[in-house]
Amino acid sequence: MIIEDQRDVVDMLRLNWSDSRDRLDCLTSVRQANRLIHSNELAAYDCILIDINLTDGSGLELLREARARSDVPIIMISGAGDADSRADAISVGADDYVMKPFSVKELRARVHRLHEARLGRSALRQSLAFRIGNVDCDIGRLSMEFEGASQPLTALEGRILQVLHAGGGEDCPKSCIARQALFREYDPRDKTIDVYINRLRGKLAELDAASGDAIKTIRGVGYRLSDIQQ
């Protein structure tokens, strides 16, 4: 699903997508998109592309509403933005962010990678559960729990936690997190990983203050899961 009010952008996507397996649908307004998000039709889509600046409202609000109802991969599109706007989109729950003008071939590859990761998540993670500090993490259910309280995880948050956990307490470079969780090469200018790590620390701390310190920053390298002081 493409939520974009610029007809030339939609036409470019349809003309250059070049993969006949994919069906591209389009909505042009926040009003139309809200009807989709609050209906059962949302589950029919493998990925959603949302323009941040729509004529009748904010794409970020659509992102927030969609993310509250589904783990469908969402890629935000912007014609003007900076690191802060990208961080805002990521913090709300976007899986990826692209700037106009963009390569349709690259965007298609990102969509397919996110879709494949979503399909594989159930098979690969369904029974995967582990503990971070005092908090029980269930990646299959995308949830963290402690003493009856719970915090939801986005798909990307779950992937990052899985990568950190797979490190077995060793340092986990940002380049490794980028490839295995974000499905792209690490760019030092991109603060996506840092934003998500901060979100995860916050969610852990809301459940158990001590567990928020379980994700350690390794300066110049990345992050590491560590035991906490009881």
Side-chain angles (χ1 to χ4, degrees), residues 25-151:
D25 293 339
C26 177
L27 296 174
T28 60
S29 69
V30 169
R31 183 167 56 88
Q32 292 174 337
N34 267 321
R35 285 202 296 266
L36 167 73
I37 290 169
H38 291 87
S39 74
N40 293 330
E41 296 178 20
L42 181 63
Y45 292 93
D46 299 317
C47 188
I48 302 178
L49 312 179
I50 305 177
D51 191 340
I52 285 183
N53 296 307
L54 294 162
T55 303
D56 64 335
S58 169
L60 285 177
E61 289 306 312
L62 290 178
L63 166 64
R64 196 186 311 275
E65 291 292 319
R67 183 52 70 229
R69 289 163 174 78
S70 173
D71 69 344
V72 61
I74 299 175
I75 300 177
M76 302 304 292
I77 301 173
S78 178
D82 52 23
D84 287 339
S85 60
R86 184 160 51 247
D88 288 343
I90 295 299
S91 68
V92 173
D95 293 282
D96 209 340
Y97 185 108
V98 297
M99 294 289 299
K100 300 175 184 177
F102 51 80
S103 161
V104 176
K105 182 177 181 180
E106 178 183 352
L107 178 60
R108 189 179 72 242
R110 292 190 184 195
V111 167
H112 284 182
R113 289 294 296 273
L114 288 169
H115 173 54
E116 289 166 5
R118 188 188 187 205
L119 287 178
R121 188 174 63 240
S122 294
L124 294 175
R125 304 180 180 176
Q126 190 158 6
S127 63
L128 182 57
F130 49 84
R131 178 168 286 194
I132 297 178
N134 299 317
V135 174
D136 293 316
C137 301
D138 189 327
I139 304 303
R141 294 173 53 208
L142 289 178
S143 177
M144 300 192 297
E145 298 183 356
F146 178 69
E147 295 186 345
S150 66
Q151 281 279 356

Side-chain angles (χ1 to χ4, degrees), residues 171-192:
D171 295 352
C172 188
K174 289 183 180 180
S175 58
C176 177
I177 299 173
R179 285 194 298 271
Q180 296 185 36
L182 276 66
F183 310 121
R184 58 176 182 257
E185 292 302 314
Y186 175 60
D187 180 349
R189 298 168 298 179
D190 186 349
K191 301 305 180 183
T192 300

